[in-house]
Amino acid sequence: MCESAVNLAKESGYFNAGTCEFIVDQDYNFYFIEVNARIQVEHPVTEQITGIDLIESQIRVAAGEKLPFTQDTIPRNGHAMEVRINAEDPENEFRGSPGTITKLRVPGGRGVRFDSHVHEGYRIPPNYDSMVGKLIVHRPTREQAIACMLRALDEFHIEGVKTSIPLLKKIIRHPTFQAGQVDTKWLERTMHELMPKKS
């Protein structure tokens, strides 16, 4: 996939940050979806695994500098996961939950990163993106990354708005997710189990 992405960028004459998206089937064949000519929301996952600051690299390229690395020198270490914490109510058809954050305790510790702009007293508006922040973990193995993410989500404390945290914990604790046996329709098929409708 990396080779295909590099070839695509070369053939199109594209320079600067971008994301080539592929989808992988059960036999590990991959298929091209699209290119996003920008930094993606998920860029911290790449940063954690490679140790490369993608935003800094993007700025350097835009300033006319050459990157201090080549594709074959980029390291890939461990496993990283990212979840988006949104001010939404999963039990109420994911309706937005605007309001003021009255209490906020963000998890930390080894392998935990939280990218956000919010703070206690911050008002989440009703007319923009509901994302509170991105919680990222990085550990040597996938199993350790899952355990680290669950610990971080358990320690994350926010009051004043409803968030996606309860659903995220259920997803990550689900045995099918932990076994890596998910596909693009998995959440749709499993949602009734994760968040049963209130009668």
Side-chain angles (χ1 to χ4, degrees), residues 12-33:
S12 62
Y14 183 75
F15 293 91
N16 212 313
T19 304
C20 291
E21 293 190 8
F22 300 92
I23 191 164
V24 180
D25 68 18
Q26 65 272 14
D27 298 318
Y28 297 99
N29 299 307
F30 62 91
Y31 307 90
F32 173 74
I33 299 176

PDB file of all heavy atoms in Angstrom, residues 12-33:
ATOM      1  N   SER A  12       1.266  11.784 -10.231  1.00  0.00           N
ATOM      2  CA  SER A  12       0.398  12.962 -10.332  1.00  0.00           C
ATOM      3  C   SER A  12       1.153  14.255 -10.071  1.00  0.00           C
ATOM      4  O   SER A  12       0.592  15.347 -10.196  1.00  0.00           O
ATOM      5  CB  SER A  12      -0.771  12.835  -9.348  1.00  0.00           C
ATOM      6  OG  SER A  12      -0.294  12.787  -8.015  1.00  0.00           O
ATOM      7  N   GLY A  13       2.438  14.149  -9.680  1.00  0.00           N
ATOM      8  CA  GLY A  13       3.233  15.339  -9.405  1.00  0.00           C
ATOM      9  C   GLY A  13       2.817  16.048  -8.129  1.00  0.00           C
ATOM     10  O   GLY A  13       3.008  17.249  -7.984  1.00  0.00           O
ATOM     11  N   TYR A  14       2.278  15.269  -7.179  1.00  0.00           N
ATOM     12  CA  TYR A  14       1.780  15.876  -5.936  1.00  0.00           C
ATOM     13  C   TYR A  14       2.903  16.013  -4.908  1.00  0.00           C
ATOM     14  O   TYR A  14       3.640  15.068  -4.652  1.00  0.00           O
ATOM     15  CB  TYR A  14       0.646  15.030  -5.341  1.00  0.00           C
ATOM     16  CG  TYR A  14       0.062  15.652  -4.100  1.00  0.00           C
ATOM     17  CD1 TYR A  14      -0.771  16.756  -4.199  1.00  0.00           C
ATOM     18  CD2 TYR A  14       0.371  15.168  -2.838  1.00  0.00           C
ATOM     19  CE1 TYR A  14      -1.290  17.353  -3.065  1.00  0.00           C
ATOM     20  CE2 TYR A  14      -0.143  15.757  -1.706  1.00  0.00           C
ATOM     21  CZ  TYR A  14      -0.976  16.844  -1.825  1.00  0.00           C
ATOM     22  OH  TYR A  14      -1.483  17.441  -0.708  1.00  0.00           O
ATOM     23  N   PHE A  15       3.021  17.211  -4.336  1.00  0.00           N
ATOM     24  CA  PHE A  15       3.993  17.461  -3.279  1.00  0.00           C
ATOM     25  C   PHE A  15       3.259  18.070  -2.097  1.00  0.00           C
ATOM     26  O   PHE A  15       2.411  18.940  -2.277  1.00  0.00           O
ATOM     27  CB  PHE A  15       5.094  18.424  -3.761  1.00  0.00           C
ATOM     28  CG  PHE A  15       5.959  17.833  -4.837  1.00  0.00           C
ATOM     29  CD1 PHE A  15       5.630  17.996  -6.174  1.00  0.00           C
ATOM     30  CD2 PHE A  15       7.082  17.106  -4.519  1.00  0.00           C
ATOM     31  CE1 PHE A  15       6.417  17.444  -7.172  1.00  0.00           C
ATOM     32  CE2 PHE A  15       7.877  16.552  -5.507  1.00  0.00           C
ATOM     33  CZ  PHE A  15       7.546  16.713  -6.840  1.00  0.00           C
ATOM     34  N   ASN A  16       3.573  17.654  -0.939  1.00  0.00           N
ATOM     35  CA  ASN A  16       3.028  18.119   0.341  1.00  0.00           C
ATOM     36  C   ASN A  16       2.230  17.006   0.990  1.00  0.00           C
ATOM     37  O   ASN A  16       2.124  15.904   0.458  1.00  0.00           O
ATOM     38  CB  ASN A  16       2.191  19.401   0.228  1.00  0.00           C
ATOM     39  CG  ASN A  16       2.324  20.242   1.503  1.00  0.00           C
ATOM     40  OD1 ASN A  16       2.220  19.730   2.608  1.00  0.00           O
ATOM     41  ND2 ASN A  16       2.595  21.524   1.350  1.00  0.00           N
ATOM     42  N   ALA A  17       1.661  17.328   2.133  1.00  0.00           N
ATOM     43  CA  ALA A  17       0.953  16.313   2.906  1.00  0.00           C
ATOM     44  C   ALA A  17      -0.322  15.888   2.195  1.00  0.00           C
ATOM     45  O   ALA A  17      -1.007  16.696   1.581  1.00  0.00           O
ATOM     46  CB  ALA A  17       0.615  16.855   4.295  1.00  0.00           C
ATOM     47  N   GLY A  18      -0.610  14.620   2.279  1.00  0.00           N
ATOM     48  CA  GLY A  18      -1.828  14.078   1.703  1.00  0.00           C
ATOM     49  C   GLY A  18      -2.031  12.665   2.188  1.00  0.00           C
ATOM     50  O   GLY A  18      -1.103  12.045   2.722  1.00  0.00           O
ATOM     51  N   THR A  19      -3.229  12.165   2.020  1.00  0.00           N
ATOM     52  CA  THR A  19      -3.541  10.808   2.465  1.00  0.00           C
ATOM     53  C   THR A  19      -4.159  10.017   1.329  1.00  0.00           C
ATOM     54  O   THR A  19      -5.168  10.434   0.752  1.00  0.00           O
ATOM     55  CB  THR A  19      -4.522  10.838   3.660  1.00  0.00           C
ATOM     56  OG1 THR A  19      -3.963  11.621   4.703  1.00  0.00           O
ATOM     57  CG2 THR A  19      -4.782   9.437   4.171  1.00  0.00           C
ATOM     58  N   CYS A  20      -3.545   8.889   1.009  1.00  0.00           N
ATOM     59  CA  CYS A  20      -4.132   7.943   0.066  1.00  0.00           C
ATOM     60  C   CYS A  20      -4.930   6.937   0.881  1.00  0.00           C
ATOM     61  O   CYS A  20      -4.385   6.310   1.796  1.00  0.00           O
ATOM     62  CB  CYS A  20      -3.051   7.205  -0.716  1.00  0.00           C
ATOM     63  SG  CYS A  20      -2.155   8.232  -1.868  1.00  0.00           S
ATOM     64  N   GLU A  21      -6.203   6.788   0.549  1.00  0.00           N
ATOM     65  CA  GLU A  21      -7.056   5.860   1.292  1.00  0.00           C
ATOM     66  C   GLU A  21      -7.304   4.606   0.472  1.00  0.00           C
ATOM     67  O   GLU A  21      -7.598   4.673  -0.713  1.00  0.00           O
ATOM     68  CB  GLU A  21      -8.377   6.532   1.659  1.00  0.00           C
ATOM     69  CG  GLU A  21      -8.206   7.649   2.661  1.00  0.00           C
ATOM     70  CD  GLU A  21      -9.532   8.157   3.204  1.00  0.00           C
ATOM     71  OE1 GLU A  21     -10.581   7.537   2.923  1.00  0.00           O
ATOM     72  OE2 GLU A  21      -9.507   9.171   3.911  1.00  0.00           O
ATOM     73  N   PHE A  22      -7.170   3.475   1.150  1.00  0.00           N
ATOM     74  CA  PHE A  22      -7.429   2.175   0.550  1.00  0.00           C
ATOM     75  C   PHE A  22      -8.380   1.401   1.462  1.00  0.00           C
ATOM     76  O   PHE A  22      -8.498   1.689   2.646  1.00  0.00           O
ATOM     77  CB  PHE A  22      -6.125   1.367   0.421  1.00  0.00           C
ATOM     78  CG  PHE A  22      -5.076   2.016  -0.422  1.00  0.00           C
ATOM     79  CD1 PHE A  22      -4.123   2.844   0.152  1.00  0.00           C
ATOM     80  CD2 PHE A  22      -5.021   1.787  -1.792  1.00  0.00           C
ATOM     81  CE1 PHE A  22      -3.130   3.441  -0.617  1.00  0.00           C
ATOM     82  CE2 PHE A  22      -4.029   2.383  -2.572  1.00  0.00           C
ATOM     83  CZ  PHE A  22      -3.088   3.209  -1.987  1.00  0.00           C
ATOM     84  N   ILE A  23      -9.038   0.414   0.898  1.00  0.00           N
ATOM     85  CA  ILE A  23      -9.835  -0.507   1.696  1.00  0.00           C
ATOM     86  C   ILE A  23      -9.262  -1.896   1.463  1.00  0.00           C
ATOM     87  O   ILE A  23      -8.803  -2.222   0.367  1.00  0.00           O
ATOM     88  CB  ILE A  23     -11.339  -0.430   1.342  1.00  0.00           C
ATOM     89  CG1 ILE A  23     -12.154  -1.197   2.371  1.00  0.00           C
ATOM     90  CG2 ILE A  23     -11.602  -0.912  -0.071  1.00  0.00           C
ATOM     91  CD1 ILE A  23     -13.636  -0.863   2.319  1.00  0.00           C
ATOM     92  N   VAL A  24      -9.246  -2.712   2.529  1.00  0.00           N
ATOM     93  CA  VAL A  24      -8.634  -4.040   2.479  1.00  0.00           C
ATOM     94  C   VAL A  24      -9.717  -5.094   2.663  1.00  0.00           C
ATOM     95  O   VAL A  24     -10.575  -4.960   3.538  1.00  0.00           O
ATOM     96  CB  VAL A  24      -7.560  -4.186   3.587  1.00  0.00           C
ATOM     97  CG1 VAL A  24      -6.911  -5.566   3.540  1.00  0.00           C
ATOM     98  CG2 VAL A  24      -6.506  -3.092   3.471  1.00  0.00           C
ATOM     99  N   ASP A  25      -9.666  -6.162   1.840  1.00  0.00           N
ATOM    100  CA  ASP A  25     -10.662  -7.223   1.996  1.00  0.00           C
ATOM    101  C   ASP A  25     -10.131  -8.328   2.901  1.00  0.00           C
ATOM    102  O   ASP A  25      -9.019  -8.241   3.437  1.00  0.00           O
ATOM    103  CB  ASP A  25     -11.121  -7.756   0.631  1.00  0.00           C
ATOM    104  CG  ASP A  25     -10.034  -8.517  -0.132  1.00  0.00           C
ATOM    105  OD1 ASP A  25      -9.031  -8.947   0.475  1.00  0.00           O
ATOM    106  OD2 ASP A  25     -10.204  -8.691  -1.359  1.00  0.00           O
ATOM    107  N   GLN A  26     -10.941  -9.387   3.067  1.00  0.00           N
ATOM    108  CA  GLN A  26     -10.590 -10.460   3.999  1.00  0.00           C
ATOM    109  C   GLN A  26      -9.351 -11.234   3.565  1.00  0.00           C
ATOM    110  O   GLN A  26      -8.725 -11.921   4.382  1.00  0.00           O
ATOM    111  CB  GLN A  26     -11.776 -11.424   4.180  1.00  0.00           C
ATOM    112  CG  GLN A  26     -12.167 -12.185   2.927  1.00  0.00           C
ATOM    113  CD  GLN A  26     -13.161 -11.443   2.058  1.00  0.00           C
ATOM    114  OE1 GLN A  26     -13.395 -10.240   2.239  1.00  0.00           O
ATOM    115  NE2 GLN A  26     -13.758 -12.142   1.101  1.00  0.00           N
ATOM    116  N   ASP A  27      -8.969 -11.113   2.287  1.00  0.00           N
ATOM    117  CA  ASP A  27      -7.769 -11.796   1.795  1.00  0.00           C
ATOM    118  C   ASP A  27      -6.567 -10.862   1.711  1.00  0.00           C
ATOM    119  O   ASP A  27      -5.559 -11.182   1.070  1.00  0.00           O
ATOM    120  CB  ASP A  27      -8.056 -12.395   0.407  1.00  0.00           C
ATOM    121  CG  ASP A  27      -9.165 -13.432   0.459  1.00  0.00           C
ATOM    122  OD1 ASP A  27      -9.178 -14.245   1.404  1.00  0.00           O
ATOM    123  OD2 ASP A  27     -10.040 -13.407  -0.436  1.00  0.00           O
ATOM    124  N   TYR A  28      -6.699  -9.681   2.313  1.00  0.00           N
ATOM    125  CA  TYR A  28      -5.634  -8.677   2.353  1.00  0.00           C
ATOM    126  C   TYR A  28      -5.324  -8.071   0.983  1.00  0.00           C
ATOM    127  O   TYR A  28      -4.248  -7.521   0.773  1.00  0.00           O
ATOM    128  CB  TYR A  28      -4.350  -9.219   3.008  1.00  0.00           C
ATOM    129  CG  TYR A  28      -4.570  -9.598   4.457  1.00  0.00           C
ATOM    130  CD1 TYR A  28      -4.787 -10.917   4.823  1.00  0.00           C
ATOM    131  CD2 TYR A  28      -4.611  -8.628   5.451  1.00  0.00           C
ATOM    132  CE1 TYR A  28      -5.018 -11.266   6.140  1.00  0.00           C
ATOM    133  CE2 TYR A  28      -4.843  -8.960   6.774  1.00  0.00           C
ATOM    134  CZ  TYR A  28      -5.050 -10.284   7.113  1.00  0.00           C
ATOM    135  OH  TYR A  28      -5.295 -10.612   8.419  1.00  0.00           O
ATOM    136  N   ASN A  29      -6.266  -8.173   0.058  1.00  0.00           N
ATOM    137  CA  ASN A  29      -6.164  -7.391  -1.169  1.00  0.00           C
ATOM    138  C   ASN A  29      -6.606  -5.974  -0.833  1.00  0.00           C
ATOM    139  O   ASN A  29      -7.518  -5.790  -0.024  1.00  0.00           O
ATOM    140  CB  ASN A  29      -7.078  -7.964  -2.260  1.00  0.00           C
ATOM    141  CG  ASN A  29      -6.699  -9.382  -2.624  1.00  0.00           C
ATOM    142  OD1 ASN A  29      -5.558  -9.666  -2.948  1.00  0.00           O
ATOM    143  ND2 ASN A  29      -7.664 -10.288  -2.537  1.00  0.00           N
ATOM    144  N   PHE A  30      -5.977  -4.982  -1.438  1.00  0.00           N
ATOM    145  CA  PHE A  30      -6.371  -3.612  -1.128  1.00  0.00           C
ATOM    146  C   PHE A  30      -6.789  -2.880  -2.390  1.00  0.00           C
ATOM    147  O   PHE A  30      -6.324  -3.189  -3.484  1.00  0.00           O
ATOM    148  CB  PHE A  30      -5.260  -2.855  -0.388  1.00  0.00           C
ATOM    149  CG  PHE A  30      -3.978  -2.702  -1.147  1.00  0.00           C
ATOM    150  CD1 PHE A  30      -3.756  -1.587  -1.951  1.00  0.00           C
ATOM    151  CD2 PHE A  30      -2.980  -3.653  -1.052  1.00  0.00           C
ATOM    152  CE1 PHE A  30      -2.566  -1.428  -2.647  1.00  0.00           C
ATOM    153  CE2 PHE A  30      -1.788  -3.510  -1.752  1.00  0.00           C
ATOM    154  CZ  PHE A  30      -1.580  -2.388  -2.546  1.00  0.00           C
ATOM    155  N   TYR A  31      -7.699  -1.924  -2.195  1.00  0.00           N
ATOM    156  CA  TYR A  31      -8.304  -1.213  -3.311  1.00  0.00           C
ATOM    157  C   TYR A  31      -8.295   0.284  -3.005  1.00  0.00           C
ATOM    158  O   TYR A  31      -8.636   0.700  -1.892  1.00  0.00           O
ATOM    159  CB  TYR A  31      -9.742  -1.696  -3.536  1.00  0.00           C
ATOM    160  CG  TYR A  31      -9.828  -3.193  -3.688  1.00  0.00           C
ATOM    161  CD1 TYR A  31     -10.017  -4.009  -2.573  1.00  0.00           C
ATOM    162  CD2 TYR A  31      -9.670  -3.793  -4.930  1.00  0.00           C
ATOM    163  CE1 TYR A  31     -10.075  -5.387  -2.702  1.00  0.00           C
ATOM    164  CE2 TYR A  31      -9.731  -5.175  -5.078  1.00  0.00           C
ATOM    165  CZ  TYR A  31      -9.930  -5.967  -3.950  1.00  0.00           C
ATOM    166  OH  TYR A  31      -9.977  -7.333  -4.078  1.00  0.00           O
ATOM    167  N   PHE A  32      -7.948   1.059  -3.995  1.00  0.00           N
ATOM    168  CA  PHE A  32      -7.860   2.513  -3.852  1.00  0.00           C
ATOM    169  C   PHE A  32      -9.255   3.123  -3.686  1.00  0.00           C
ATOM    170  O   PHE A  32     -10.193   2.756  -4.385  1.00  0.00           O
ATOM    171  CB  PHE A  32      -7.172   3.106  -5.083  1.00  0.00           C
ATOM    172  CG  PHE A  32      -7.181   4.600  -5.124  1.00  0.00           C
ATOM    173  CD1 PHE A  32      -6.359   5.335  -4.288  1.00  0.00           C
ATOM    174  CD2 PHE A  32      -8.021   5.288  -5.990  1.00  0.00           C
ATOM    175  CE1 PHE A  32      -6.363   6.724  -4.322  1.00  0.00           C
ATOM    176  CE2 PHE A  32      -8.037   6.669  -6.037  1.00  0.00           C
ATOM    177  CZ  PHE A  32      -7.204   7.389  -5.194  1.00  0.00           C
ATOM    178  N   ILE A  33      -9.391   4.063  -2.758  1.00  0.00           N
ATOM    179  CA  ILE A  33     -10.650   4.786  -2.564  1.00  0.00           C
ATOM    180  C   ILE A  33     -10.501   6.232  -3.031  1.00  0.00           C
ATOM    181  O   ILE A  33     -11.199   6.687  -3.917  1.00  0.00           O
ATOM    182  CB  ILE A  33     -11.095   4.762  -1.084  1.00  0.00           C
ATOM    183  CG1 ILE A  33     -11.331   3.336  -0.612  1.00  0.00           C
ATOM    184  CG2 ILE A  33     -12.342   5.608  -0.889  1.00  0.00           C
ATOM    185  CD1 ILE A  33     -11.687   3.224   0.857  1.00  0.00           C
TER     186      ILE A  33
END
